[in-house]
């Protein structure tokens, strides 16, 4: 295999990230410019603001990545980009820049699916082969189970029919007045609470279908704050047993995610489980999956914490495409789905 240095760009949501890695998957830089301060006053990610922030942040982030790696642009041999799914305006900033760089350097362009990359983050952290496996991506935009024959062959087994797990974390954190970003804030609050205090619903947990639904759970938390008919804006949030609510909500999400992984493992007969996406940064979920997997003799792969949430190093999935000479051309467009 001839050596190659890859420049990868991630702009699907609210992190502007640029990574540099080689064909051996050695990461030389993985810079993440967070946009939290741009969005926190709105209590969530504003798509137009995200796109404009990417435009401002991308060029300096590329320069920083090259400087950390001690490389110049001329040494880059391929350009990888997450071209979806994600926010359209945000993706367009990364994709047009990636095309321009690839064209300017005369090197291959490789479009990579952001959701598949979240699973590849497990491969990056493991430092060894993780496929074939059952894969689950739990992020702010997605909750999907895959049967992964290889890094390039992922078959969808099921997914959420409404909210994603991370979205539910964010919305419940917002309801409880815990701030933005919601997932880590809710996890912190939950540490102080009793997970058995509230018995929130666990959709589809007794059904064999490998799907998820979190909107009923979110509504159940809302009704435990303000029962139907009562006005939410009249509730004094800081007088509520917020830690118990957060812990009980988290336990419900973790229960469902763990049970569905086990069902997927049973159905496929796989002996490895890989879980990627922002929500796998959650220690309660990591611990629960570790316990279940060791009980069943299944190998569990999760990314190191900084590779759970959005980053460009996970786009090293592009190396797998590159090995097969599967390149994109300049007509590559943003995509809204997981292919
Ligand atoms: O993968 P990611 O960075 O973005 C998407 O592709 O969507 O995931 C972000 C999501 C957010 O919803 C965030 O609240 C959630 O991951 N998240 C967490 C934790 N850290 C991030 N959820 C629960 N516990 C955490 N510690
Ligand atoms: Zn993501």
């Amino acid at each position: 295999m001839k050596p190659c240095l890859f420049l990868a760009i991630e702009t699907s949501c609210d992190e502007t990230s640029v990574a540099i890695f080689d064909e051996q998957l050695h990461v030389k830089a993985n810079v993440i410019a967070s946009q939290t301060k741009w969005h926190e006053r709105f209590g969530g990610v504003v798509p137009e603001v995200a796109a404009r922030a990417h435009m401002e942040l991308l060029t300096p982030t590329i320069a920083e990545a090259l400087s950390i790696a001690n490389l110049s642009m001329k040494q880059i041999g391929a350009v990888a980009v997450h071209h979806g799914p994600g926010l359209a305006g945000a993706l367009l900033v990364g994709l047009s820049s990636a095309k321009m760089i690839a064209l300017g350097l005369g090197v291959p362009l490789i479009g990579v699916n952001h959701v598949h990359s979240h699973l590849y983050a497990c491969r990056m952290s493991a430092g060894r082969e993780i496929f074939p496996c059952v894969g689950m991506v739990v992020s702010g935009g997605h909750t999907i189970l895959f049967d992964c024959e290889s890094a390039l062959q992922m078959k969808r087994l099921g997914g959420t029919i409404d909210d994603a797990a991370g979205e539910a974390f964010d919305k419940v954190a917002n309801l409880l007045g815990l701030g933005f970003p919601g997932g880590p804030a809710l996890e912190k609050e939950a540490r102080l609470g009793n997970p058995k205090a509230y018995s929130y619903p666990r959709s589809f947990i007794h059904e064999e279908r490998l799907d998820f639904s979190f909107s009923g759970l979110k509504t159940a938390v809302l009704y435990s704050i303000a029962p139907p008919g009562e006005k939410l804006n009249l509730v004094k949030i800081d007088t509520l047993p917020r830690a118990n609510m957060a812990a009980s909500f988290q336990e419900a999400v973790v229960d469902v995610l763990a049970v569905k992984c086990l069902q997927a493992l049973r159905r496929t007969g796989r002996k490895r489980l890989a879980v990627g996406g922002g929500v796998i940064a959650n220690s309660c979920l990591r611990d629960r999956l570790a316990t279940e997997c060791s009980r069943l003799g299944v190998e569990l792969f999760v990314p190191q914490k900084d590779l759970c949430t959005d980053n460009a190093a996970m786009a090293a999935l592009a190396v797998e495409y590159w090995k097969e000479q599967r390149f994109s051309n300049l007509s590559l467009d943003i995509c809204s789905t997981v292919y």
Side-chain angles (χ1 to χ4, degrees), residues 114 118 139-141 166-167 169-170 182-184 187 277-279 281-282 308-310:
H114 176 93
H118 268 305
S139 69
E167 188 181 355
F169 265 94
D170 293 335
E187 177 178 7
V279 180
N282 184 283
C308 293
T309 44
D310 290 344

Side-chain angles (χ1 to χ4, degrees), residues 58-119:
L58 188 53
T59 305
T61 309
I62 292 172
E64 191 181 341
L66 286 168
S67 150
I68 290 172
N70 200 18
L71 291 167
S72 76
M73 195 62 114
K74 287 198 296 259
Q75 291 167 278
I76 297 299
V79 180
V81 62
H82 285 144
H83 68 118
L87 304 172
L91 287 166
L92 279 169
V93 177
L95 179 59
S96 4
S97 307
K99 284 181 181 177
M100 194 181 66
I101 297 168
L103 184 66
L105 293 174
V107 301
L109 172 74
I110 304 171
V112 181
N113 195 278
H114 176 93
V115 171
H116 294 172
S117 285
H118 268 305
L119 282 183

Side-chain angles (χ1 to χ4, degrees), residues 10 12-15 85 114-115 118 137-142 164-171 173 181-188 191 249-250 276-283 285 305 307-311 314:
E10 150 63 28
S12 69
C13 190
D14 62 336
E15 318 281 3
H114 176 93
V115 171
H118 268 305
V137 174
V138 270
S139 69
H142 298 273
E167 188 181 355
F169 265 94
D170 293 335
K171 288 180 176 165
L186 193 140
E187 177 178 7
K188 192 162 165 235
R191 278 194 212 115
F249 162 80
Q250 179 174 265
V279 180
I280 194 62
N282 184 283
S283 303
L285 178 59
K305 290 260 172 131
L307 293 187
C308 293
T309 44
D310 290 344
N311 67 88
M314 67 190 195

Side-chain angles (χ1 to χ4, degrees), residues 211-245:
D211 291 322
F212 306 85
S213 165
F214 295 106
S215 73
L217 169 59
K218 196 180 62 189
T219 309
V221 178
L222 171 66
Y223 285 169
S224 64
I225 299 171
E230 251 182 54
K231 288 210 163 60
L232 185 62
N233 58 0
L234 297 181
V235 175
K236 288 202 173 60
I237 297 286
D238 47 4
T239 63
L240 293 172
R242 289 195 292 184
N244 283 349
M245 289 172 165

Side-chain angles (χ1 to χ4, degrees), residues 24-222:
Q24 305 286 337
L25 304 179
H26 296 135
V27 178
K28 309 202 175 285
N30 185 26
V31 182
I32 303 169
S34 168
Q35 297 181 5
T36 301
K37 72 171 170 37
W38 299 60
H39 300 283
E40 63 188 345
R41 69 194 161 105
F42 302 107
V45 177
V46 183
E48 177 67 17
V49 173
R52 287 176 189 277
H54 285 307
M55 287 201 282
E56 202 169 310
L57 294 169
L58 188 53
T59 305
T61 309
I62 292 172
E64 191 181 341
L66 286 168
S67 150
I68 290 172
N70 200 18
L71 291 167
S72 76
M73 195 62 114
K74 287 198 296 259
Q75 291 167 278
I76 297 299
V79 180
V81 62
H82 285 144
H83 68 118
L87 304 172
L91 287 166
L92 279 169
V93 177
L95 179 59
S96 4
S97 307
K99 284 181 181 177
M100 194 181 66
I101 297 168
L103 184 66
L105 293 174
V107 301
L109 172 74
I110 304 171
V112 181
N113 195 278
H114 176 93
V115 171
H116 294 172
S117 285
H118 268 305
L119 282 183
Y120 204 73
C122 298
R123 165 70 182 85
M124 297 297 285
S125 289
R128 66 186 168 95
E129 195 49 87
I130 66 164
F131 301 100
C133 65
V134 162
M136 180 171 72
V137 174
V138 270
S139 69
H142 298 273
T143 300
I144 310 187
L145 275 163
F146 295 96
D147 184 15
C148 309
E149 185 60 41
S150 71
L152 301 179
Q153 274 178 284
M154 299 188 189
K155 188 174 137 237
R156 189 181 187 279
L157 294 169
T160 183
I161 61 164
D162 42 53
D163 291 351
E167 188 181 355
F169 265 94
D170 293 335
K171 288 180 176 165
V172 168
N174 198 282
L175 278 177
L176 296 175
L178 297 173
F180 171 84
L186 193 140
E187 177 178 7
K188 192 162 165 235
E189 185 72 15
R191 278 194 212 115
L192 310 170
N194 171 10
K196 309 281 177 239
Y198 290 83
S199 134
Y200 291 135
R202 286 138 167 86
S203 297
F204 306 147
I205 204 162
H206 299 300
E207 294 177 36
E208 275 304 307
R209 61 190 285 192
L210 295 174
D211 291 322
F212 306 85
S213 165
F214 295 106
S215 73
L217 169 59
K218 196 180 62 189
T219 309
V221 178
L222 171 66

Side-chain angles (χ1 to χ4, degrees), residues 319-334:
V319 173
E320 305 283 346
Y321 285 96
W322 175 84
K323 282 183 196 160
E324 297 194 358
Q325 302 279 292
R326 284 167 62 181
F327 303 139
S328 309
N329 58 39
L330 291 178
S331 65
L332 180 69
D333 205 351
I334 57 168

